């Protein structure tokens, strides 16, 4: 019959199958007593195996070793099965009494069958666990996570409970991914930072901790870059790989490590496999934690039980606000504390608002000022609806209290950069000067000092955050909520006029649509994917144009610059595919600041040399640039940056530099002895030197490098040189050191040098790197230094020594090192047996700061300490770090 299938099964086969099924199920009942006895014996054996294992683990841990992660997993499984056994065994008597016909049947077949099956299954699990409980190794040398401690704000209130909860949840073996969510400014990043820093001090088997800031524009290649740098993948070859190839490299590395990945500020699902992140499992012990403003993002990441970071309660909020305002201000009038509570309540428990407004009110010591603050904040809150819209006007009160319009302009300028971006202070101040926010005084030094004063005020007002890197205070950044407030203000507050367009780091492929170019004053298109810039927009009011870091940009049409008569700042840096500029750049008649650094431009257009108002020109790292001939046609030039160019400094170029009458700041690379001699003979150029790189000078050309006093010199790199000694001109005294502003020095590949005693005359040195110099025996020679009578390194923060096989001494006796927070000794520094430390070194205001990193376990064992107190003080600060230069 169509559509029918005939299946024939013999009656014997069917009966045989049914019989087997029934007998197998019946065996769970009639074998119950024997299986229970076997299970009890197996559990006793398993407990004995566990007891023996724990004895071995305890012995190993007493020797300072750390139990293996597989031991932890096995012990946890034993604990789980033990609990299940106890529950099962508690009903043993009832279940045995249920049996009848000498155990062959039961008064309740269904219940006895279910119980008997559980006993049988558990017996197999217990026997399997017992067989896997014999380990050749139970522990290994304690491994402290390779984690970089991140800076924290000094005042944190109300996070202890959620910190412990979050830490315990993350470290639970069952947790693979943890999500923290909450509104902007509530303290999510602070919480994640504290978790990160705990790994720095915890020996829990985690091998590497990776921190990545994701932000709104999720770019796979940026995340891969940050992870790659952390695990040692960098350089031209790796940078040129595709995202898929990088993902394979990252996956292959991390799949062999127990890692923790911390993702801060994600706005949508992050595809971990596209980045190369292996899926964390209980067996691997790997973890991922992230922060986000949106609970739905947690669900998209597979986290269905995220932890909410909430605003502070009334008590904690008042406590934080009091600490920010200070007791002196609160006691300045008996009515102020009560009014202050009203101000604190207006901040709605948001830590960011409490910090910012608290800093603002710290100098207000009259009741009238405090009453005014209450009136303003109450009015703001009444005029705006949602929480976010209420917070921004509250934060604006701190902006309103900035001392001048120029400072307010400097603050708003910081919002032109992408979210969560570190902003270099030096670059920012140069922008401000050229924009006219800061008067140039009679010299640039005064203007720069004023810029640092403004930065300090903004940091103290909690409108900027300083020092993202542990040892680097040369950068600032803006909290994303503060940035939103600054953009809100810059957009003419609620009117949304397009006088300021900021589309930084949002993945643009072309110029954005602008309703009215004629009203536009500032445009920031930093860090996008724009390939071409065309058109001829009429921009009579445009003063600032940020186009840097558009790495796909290959062409800018000449017409684009034709109608921008008031542009004073143009930044085209980090456009690595940009190979030329149009001649029409000469139309930018008001241009004062031009940055072309890290581009592939091979020839400067003649039009550039017609920019008579140009004050600041940055050509650093333009490796395709063939010449800067004609630079002396720029009469207003005050800052010229020429470091790291393919072209060499020639005598003719030096002559052009000498003709720049207004030049105040010069950064330059010197690769010939004749150019070096001519440079050092020009007193005016020497006075301008801010950064200098001296490279590839052989011993025959310069046997002794004699440096004159250079008061404005900030950074020095000397690499691949054969000189036997570096000395200074004999006109130096303690009251007028040769290099009063020198802060960073890198010496690399200088195989003739035996010491660096000249650094005695750099009293403000903060960073010293000495690499790959085979003959260096002492950093400071005792014989040479005796004549100077100077205690060195009083401002030193970071000392990195790498591949110095003959180095025996940094200094011959202990030094105070009041600012030193890190020493890094890596690779072939085996003769360095003693560090110039005693038990009183590296203490500032009662805090012990120093971390000693080393790359060779044997080096740590060979270190000779000044005394036992010194050893006890610094040995816990030593951390094994495999450093990739």
């Amino acid at each position: 019959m169509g559509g029918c299938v005939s299946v024939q099964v013999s009656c014997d086969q069917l009966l045989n199958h049914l019989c087997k099924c029934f007998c197998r199920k019946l065996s769970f009942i009639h074998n119950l007593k024997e299986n229970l006895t076997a299970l009890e014996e197996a559990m006793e054996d398993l407990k004995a195996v566990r007891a023996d294992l724990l004895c071995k683990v305890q012995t190993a841990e007493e020797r300072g070793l750390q139990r293996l992660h597989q031991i932890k997993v096995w012990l946890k499984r034993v604990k789980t099965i033990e609990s299940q056994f106890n529950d099962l065994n508690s009903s043993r008597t009832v279940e045995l009494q249920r049996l009848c016909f000498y155990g062959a049947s039961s008064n309740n077949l269904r219940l006895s069958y279910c119980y008997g099956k559980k006993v049988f299954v558990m017996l197999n699990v217990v026997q399997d666990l017992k067989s896997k409980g014999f380990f050749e190794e139970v522990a290994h040398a304690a491994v402290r996570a390779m984690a970089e401690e991140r800076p924290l704000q000094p005042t944190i209130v109300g996070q202890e409970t959620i910190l412990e909860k979050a830490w315990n949840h993350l470290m639970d073996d069952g947790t693979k991914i943890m999500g923290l969510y909450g509104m902007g400014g509530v303290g999510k990043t602070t919480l994640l930072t504290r978790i990160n820093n705990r790994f720095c001090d915890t020996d829990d088997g985690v091998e590497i901790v990776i921190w990545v800031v994701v932000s709104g524009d999720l770019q796979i290649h940026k995340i891969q870059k940050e992870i790659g740098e952390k695990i040692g993948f960098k350089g031209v070859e790796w940078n040129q790989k595709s995202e898929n190839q990088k993902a394979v490299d990252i996956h292959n590395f991390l799949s062999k490590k127990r890692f923790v990945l911390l993702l801060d500020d994600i706005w949508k699902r992050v595809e971990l496999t596209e980045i190369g992140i292996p899926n964390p499992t209980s067996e691997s012990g790997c973890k991922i934690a992230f922060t986000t403003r949106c609970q739905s993002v947690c669900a998209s990441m597979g986290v269905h039980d995220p932890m909410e970071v909430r605003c502070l309660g009334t008590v904690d909020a008042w406590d934080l606000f009091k600490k920010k305002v200070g007791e002196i201000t609160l006691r300045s009038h008996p009515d102020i504390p009560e009014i202050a509570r009203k101000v604190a309540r207006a901040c709605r428990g948001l830590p960011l608002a409490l910090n910012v407004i608290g800093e603002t009110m710290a100098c207000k010591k009259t009741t009238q000022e405090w009453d005014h603050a209450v009136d303003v904040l109450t009015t703001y809150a009444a005029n705006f609806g949602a929480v976010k819209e209420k917070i921004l006007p509250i934060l604006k009160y701190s902006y309103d209290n900035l001392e001048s319009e120029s400072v307010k302009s400097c603050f708003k300028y910081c919002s032109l950069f992408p979210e969560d971006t570190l902003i270099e202070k030096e670059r920012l101040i140069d922008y401000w000067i050229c924009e006219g926010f800061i008067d140039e005084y009679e010299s640039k030094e005064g203007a720069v000092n004023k810029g640092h004063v403004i930065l300090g005020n903004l940091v103290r007002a909690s409108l900027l955050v300083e020092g993202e890197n542990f040892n680097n205070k040369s950068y600032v950044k803006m909290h994303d909520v503060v940035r939103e407030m600054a953009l809100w203000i810059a957009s003419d507050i609620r009117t949304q006029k397009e006088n300021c367009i900021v589309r930084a780091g949002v993945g643009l492929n072309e110029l954005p649509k602008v309703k009215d170019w004629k009203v536009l004053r500032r445009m920031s298109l930093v860090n996008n994917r724009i390939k071409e810039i065309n058109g001829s927009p009429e921009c009579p009011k445009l003063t600032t144009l940020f186009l840097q870091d558009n790495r796909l940009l290959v062409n800018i049409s000449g017409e684009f610059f034709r109608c921008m008569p008031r542009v004073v700042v143009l930044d085209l840096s980090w456009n690595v595919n940009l190979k030329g500029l149009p001649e029409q750049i000469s139309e930018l008649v008001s241009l004062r600041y031009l940055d072309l650094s890290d581009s592939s431009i091979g020839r400067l257009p003649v039009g550039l040399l017609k920019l008579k108002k140009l004050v600041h020109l940055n050509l650093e790292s333009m490796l395709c640039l063939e010449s800067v001939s004609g630079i002396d046609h720029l009469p207003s030039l005050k800052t010229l940056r020429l470091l790291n160019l393919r072209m060499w400094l020639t005598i003719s170029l030096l002559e052009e530099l000498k003709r720049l009458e207004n030049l105040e700041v010069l950064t330059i690379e010197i690769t010939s002895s004749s150019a070096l001699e001519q440079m050092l003979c020009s007193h005016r150029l020497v006075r301008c030197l801010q950064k200098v790189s001296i490279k590839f000078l052989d011993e025959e050309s310069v046997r002794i490098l004699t440096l004159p006093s250079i008061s404005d010199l900030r950074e020095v790199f000397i690499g691949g040189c054969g000189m036997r000694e570096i000395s200074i001109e004999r006109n130096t005294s303690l009251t007028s050191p040769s290099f009063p502003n020198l802060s960073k020095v890198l010496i690399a590949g200088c195989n003739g040098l035996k010491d660096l005693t000249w650094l005695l005359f750099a009293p403000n040195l903060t960073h010293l790197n000495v690499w790959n110099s085979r003959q260096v025996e002492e950093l400071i020679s005792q014989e040479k230094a005796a004549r100077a009578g100077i205690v060195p390194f009083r401002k030193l923060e970071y000392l990195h020594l790498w591949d110095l096989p003959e180095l025996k001494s940094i200094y011959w006796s202990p030094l105070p090192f009041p600012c030193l927070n890190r020493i890094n000794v890596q690779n072939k520094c085996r003769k360095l047996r003693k560090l110039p430390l005693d038990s009183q070194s590296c203490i500032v205001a009662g805090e012990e700061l120093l971390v000693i990193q080393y790359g060779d376990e044997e080096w740590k064992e060979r270190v000779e300490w000044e005394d036992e107190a010194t050893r006890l003080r610094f040995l816990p600060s030593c951390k094994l770090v495999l450093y990739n230069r």
Side-chain angles (χ1 to χ4, degrees):
M1 295 175 61
C4 296
V5 178
S6 176
V7 179
Q8 293 184 346
V9 178
S10 71
C11 185
D12 289 343
Q13 286 178 314
L14 181 61
L15 288 173
N16 187 44
H17 177 72
L18 292 173
C19 184
K20 285 182 179 179
C21 290
F22 179 75
C23 290
R24 185 168 62 250
K25 292 184 177 181
L26 194 61
S27 68
F28 291 143
I29 299 175
H30 68 71
N31 291 333
L32 177 60
K33 191 171 184 180
E34 291 80 0
N35 285 345
L36 272 172
T37 301
L39 179 59
E40 287 178 335
E41 292 174 353
M43 274 303 303
E44 290 300 318
D45 291 343
L46 181 61
K47 291 177 182 178
V49 171
R50 179 177 62 180
D52 291 342
L53 181 62
L54 285 172
C55 285
K56 291 181 181 179
V57 170
Q58 184 176 356
T59 302
E61 289 179 338
E62 288 173 355
R63 299 201 312 268
L65 300 178
Q66 179 178 300
R67 68 177 65 184
L68 297 173
H69 185 66
Q70 57 183 314
I71 301 290
K72 295 180 183 179
V73 172
W74 186 85
L75 289 172
K76 182 178 181 181
R77 288 175 177 171
V78 171
K79 184 176 180 181
T80 301
I81 201 69
E82 183 179 22
S83 175
Q84 293 172 353
F85 168 77
N86 291 335
D87 291 341
L88 195 67
N89 202 41
S90 64
S91 55
R92 168 193 175 96
T93 302
V94 173
E95 294 295 339
L96 289 177
Q97 288 175 351
R98 212 190 304 274
L99 300 179
C100 60
F101 296 112
Y102 303 100
S105 187
S106 168
N107 295 326
N108 190 321
L109 288 173
R110 185 180 63 84
L111 291 178
S112 292
Y113 162 73
C114 291
Y115 184 78
K117 185 176 181 181
K118 289 180 181 179
V119 171
F120 179 78
V121 170
M122 186 175 292
L123 175 60
N124 287 322
V125 172
V126 170
Q127 289 173 337
D128 181 62
L129 271 176
K130 184 179 71 172
S131 68
K132 294 178 178 178
F134 300 95
F135 299 88
E136 292 184 10
E137 288 183 277
V138 298
H140 55 61
V143 177
R144 182 164 291 177
M146 195 172 84
E148 184 173 292
E149 187 169 355
R150 301 181 64 81
L152 279 167
Q153 58 188 30
T155 308
I156 301 173
V157 173
Q159 271 202 350
E160 295 309 318
T161 300
I162 193 168
L163 174 62
E164 291 305 317
K165 183 179 178 182
W167 175 262
N168 292 335
H169 179 58
L170 180 63
M171 300 311 292
D172 185 273
D173 287 338
T175 302
K176 304 174 186 66
I177 304 181
M178 179 178 75
L180 303 170
Y181 75 96
M183 69 177 294
V186 79
K188 303 183 297 296
T189 298
T190 299
L191 181 59
L192 196 66
T193 300
R194 297 181 75 180
I195 290 171
N196 174 86
N197 291 353
R198 274 206 178 184
F199 283 110
C200 297
D201 301 316
T202 305
D203 297 332
D204 55 8
V206 172
E207 296 172 90
I208 185 168
V209 179
I210 302 170
W211 176 285
V212 179
V213 178
V214 180
S215 299
D217 178 32
L218 194 162
Q219 296 186 35
I220 297 296
H221 71 91
K222 286 177 63 178
I223 299 175
Q224 289 178 328
K225 181 176 183 291
E226 289 197 45
I227 295 174
E229 288 177 352
K230 181 72 176 178
I231 63 181
F233 292 139
K234 50 188 173 181
V236 176
E237 183 180 348
W238 199 73
N239 289 336
Q240 291 177 343
K241 289 187 175 184
S242 68
E243 289 183 4
N244 288 338
Q245 291 170 322
K246 289 179 180 178
V248 171
D249 288 347
I250 292 171
H251 185 276
N252 288 341
F253 181 92
L254 291 180
S255 61
K256 301 170 187 174
K257 300 286 184 181
R258 188 179 176 201
F259 67 86
V260 172
L261 176 62
L262 305 177
L263 300 172
D264 187 35
D265 194 25
I266 71 173
W267 290 71
K268 57 185 177 182
R269 175 179 171 82
V270 178
E271 295 294 345
L272 299 174
T273 53
E274 290 184 16
I275 299 168
I277 306 301
N279 289 324
T281 63
S282 299
E283 289 72 22
S284 68
C286 298
K287 309 283 185 181
I288 296 173
F290 63 86
T291 67
T292 180
R293 292 193 190 183
C294 188
Q295 187 175 2
S296 62
V297 173
C298 297
S300 73
M301 293 290 292
V303 179
H304 301 290
D305 57 343
M307 300 182 66
E308 183 180 6
V309 184
R310 298 178 178 175
C311 290
L312 299 177
T314 303
V315 174
D316 284 335
W318 172 239
D319 188 25
L320 175 57
F321 191 72
K322 279 195 305 181
K323 290 178 179 178
K324 283 296 175 181
V325 173
E327 289 296 329
I328 293 175
T329 296
L330 290 172
R331 291 175 182 171
S332 59
H333 190 283
D335 292 342
I336 285 181
E338 186 58 35
I339 307 173
R341 286 183 179 273
K342 295 180 182 178
V343 176
R345 283 197 292 273
C347 296
R348 300 172 175 269
L350 188 70
L352 176 65
L354 291 161
N355 276 305
V356 172
I357 302 301
E359 294 281 5
T360 300
M361 301 306 297
C363 61
K364 314 288 186 185
K365 296 185 179 179
T366 67
T367 56
Q368 291 84 357
E369 290 173 302
W370 280 87
D371 284 332
H372 175 69
V374 172
D375 291 341
V376 171
L377 295 174
T378 304
T379 302
Y380 279 157
N383 289 341
F384 292 84
V387 174
K388 178 180 175 181
E389 280 68 32
K390 288 182 178 181
I391 289 300
L392 295 186
I394 289 171
L395 293 176
K396 183 181 177 291
Y397 182 74
S398 283
Y399 166 83
D400 292 337
N401 276 268
L402 293 174
E403 63 183 47
S404 66
E405 289 303 315
S406 63
V407 175
K408 291 178 181 178
S409 295
C410 291
F411 166 71
K412 288 185 290 185
Y413 208 84
C414 298
S415 67
L416 298 178
F417 298 89
E419 184 181 325
D420 292 313
T421 292
L422 288 174
I423 312 169
E424 189 179 4
K425 289 181 180 179
E426 180 181 277
R427 178 179 290 250
L428 192 55
I429 291 171
D430 283 336
Y431 288 139
W432 290 347
I433 292 171
C434 291
E435 292 276 4
F437 302 154
I438 302 174
D439 294 332
E440 292 191 60
Y441 299 91
E442 294 181 359
S443 69
K444 187 177 179 182
E445 182 180 1
V448 169
N449 290 340
K450 176 63 175 176
H452 282 287
V453 170
I454 293 172
L455 283 170
N457 289 338
L458 294 175
V459 168
R460 284 187 291 276
S462 294
L463 294 174
L464 292 179
V465 179
E466 184 182 50
E468 177 71 14
N469 298 324
F470 83 94
N471 67 336
N472 199 333
K473 301 298 182 184
S474 58
Y475 293 86
V476 290
K477 68 180 293 187
M478 218 176 209
H479 191 285
D480 49 2
V481 177
V482 174
R483 180 174 178 267
E484 288 176 24
M485 184 261 288
L487 290 172
W488 175 65
I489 295 170
S491 298
D492 236 0
I493 304 180
R494 303 185 73 192
T495 62
Q496 298 301 311
K497 291 181 181 177
E498 285 192 307
N499 62 355
C500 181
I501 293 179
V502 180
R503 302 295 305 279
V506 295
L508 292 178
N509 294 312
E510 58 184 12
L511 288 180
K513 305 297 182 185
V514 179
K515 291 181 181 178
D516 188 356
W517 286 93
K518 292 180 180 180
V519 302
L520 187 63
R521 293 183 182 274
R522 293 195 170 85
M523 175 178 268
S524 173
L525 305 178
V526 181
N527 187 22
N528 282 295
R529 301 167 187 166
I530 300 170
K531 294 182 179 181
E532 291 197 24
I533 296 179
N534 297 307
S536 181
E538 189 175 345
C539 308
K541 295 183 179 181
L542 184 67
T543 62
T544 309
L545 183 56
F546 280 3
L547 294 170
Q548 62 264 38
D549 202 12
N550 279 278
R551 302 198 176 200
L552 300 179
L553 183 62
V554 295
N555 181 57
I556 302 176
S557 73
E559 297 300 309
F560 183 72
F561 291 129
R562 280 201 181 277
C563 300
M564 298 180 178
R566 297 182 63 182
V567 168
V568 294
V569 170
L570 174 60
D571 196 329
L572 290 165
S573 61
W574 281 102
N575 290 316
V576 294
N577 288 305
L578 184 62
K579 297 181 180 179
L581 280 180
E583 291 293 340
Q584 289 88 341
I585 196 170
S586 62
E587 302 285 341
L588 303 179
V589 293
S590 300
L591 195 64
R592 291 167 54 82
Y593 181 106
L594 178 60
D595 192 341
L596 304 175
S597 60
D598 291 280
S599 67
S600 296
I601 295 171
R603 184 185 63 83
L604 298 179
V606 175
L608 188 149
L609 302 178
K610 297 178 182 179
L611 300 173
K612 302 305 180 183
K613 292 186 178 181
L614 194 64
V615 172
H616 181 111
L617 180 59
N618 189 346
L619 305 176
E620 290 185 346
S621 298
M622 293 178 65
L623 300 180
C624 297
L625 189 62
E626 298 173 358
S627 171
V628 294
S629 179
I631 202 77
D632 56 344
H633 287 74
L634 299 172
S636 301
L637 205 58
K638 292 186 176 182
T639 298
L640 179 60
R641 302 189 182 278
L642 298 175
L643 272 178
N644 195 27
L645 300 180
R646 185 183 71 175
M647 47 165 285
W648 287 11
L649 177 65
T650 61
I651 302 301
S652 62
L653 177 55
L654 274 171
E655 292 302 319
E656 288 195 50
L657 296 180
K658 292 176 185 178
R659 290 194 288 272
L660 292 170
E661 295 180 357
N662 292 304
L663 193 65
E664 294 179 348
V665 173
L666 177 65
T667 70
I668 201 159
E669 183 172 297
I670 302 171
T671 55
S672 76
S673 56
S674 58
L676 176 63
E677 183 179 357
Q678 289 288 322
M679 169 65 75
L680 297 182
C681 287
S682 172
H683 296 300
R684 200 172 68 79
L685 289 182
V686 165
R687 283 198 304 272
C688 297
L689 277 180
Q690 191 179 83
K691 300 178 184 178
V692 63
S693 173
I694 302 172
K695 296 162 65 174
F696 312 133
L697 303 183
D698 56 33
E699 181 186 352
E700 287 71 24
S701 60
V702 180
R703 186 174 180 83
I704 297 178
L705 174 60
T706 302
L707 298 174
S709 295
I710 312 176
S711 59
D712 283 337
L713 188 63
R714 309 298 170 86
E715 297 183 21
V716 169
F717 169 57
I718 302 175
C721 295
M723 76 276 292
R724 295 287 178 178
E725 185 177 353
I726 301 174
S727 64
I728 60 172
E729 292 179 351
R730 301 293 182 180
N731 60 353
T732 300
S733 68
L734 286 174
T735 56
S736 58
S738 293
F739 313 107
N741 289 300
L742 182 58
S743 62
K744 296 182 180 180
V745 171
L746 168 57
I747 308 291
C750 294
N751 292 320
L753 293 175
K754 290 183 178 292
D755 65 82
L756 302 174
T757 308
W758 66 278
L759 293 175
L760 285 172
F761 302 99
N764 292 303
L765 185 68
T766 60
H767 292 67
L768 175 58
N769 296 269
V770 189
W771 301 344
N772 191 29
S773 298
R774 293 196 298 267
Q775 305 262 350
V776 172
E777 298 176 357
E778 307 168 281
L779 291 194
I780 304 296
S781 165
Q782 184 172 3
E783 179 183 353
K784 295 178 183 178
R787 299 192 294 269
I790 301 172
V791 178
F793 304 139
R794 288 187 175 274
K795 300 289 182 67
L796 193 66
E797 298 175 8
Y798 179 70
L799 174 62
H800 185 191
L801 308 172
W802 185 83
D803 196 4
L804 305 171
E806 297 300 319
L807 180 65
K808 300 181 180 69
S809 167
I810 296 171
Y811 196 75
W812 61 89
S813 63
L815 291 169
F817 285 126
C819 300
L820 188 64
N821 54 43
R822 189 153 303 192
I823 296 176
N824 196 329
V825 181
Q826 293 283 334
N827 192 27
K828 300 179 184 177
C829 295
R830 295 186 180 91
K831 291 187 179 181
L832 181 63
R833 299 292 182 84
K834 191 170 184 179
L835 302 176
L837 303 170
D838 62 20
S839 58
Q840 299 305 308
S841 299
C842 309
I843 298 179
V844 180
E847 290 190 53
E848 300 178 1
L849 300 175
L850 185 63
V851 172
I852 302 171
Q853 295 179 331
Y854 59 95
D856 180 355
E857 188 69 51
E858 294 181 4
W859 179 86
K860 176 187 170 184
E861 302 301 324
R862 292 195 303 265
V863 171
E864 300 170 3
W865 302 100
E866 180 72 13
D867 49 36
E868 183 63 13
T870 305
R871 188 185 74 84
L872 293 174
R873 161 85 194 283
F874 289 107
L875 195 59
S877 302
C878 294
K879 295 183 178 181
L880 178 64
V881 174
L882 299 177
Y883 181 76
N884 229 332
R885 181 168 66 88

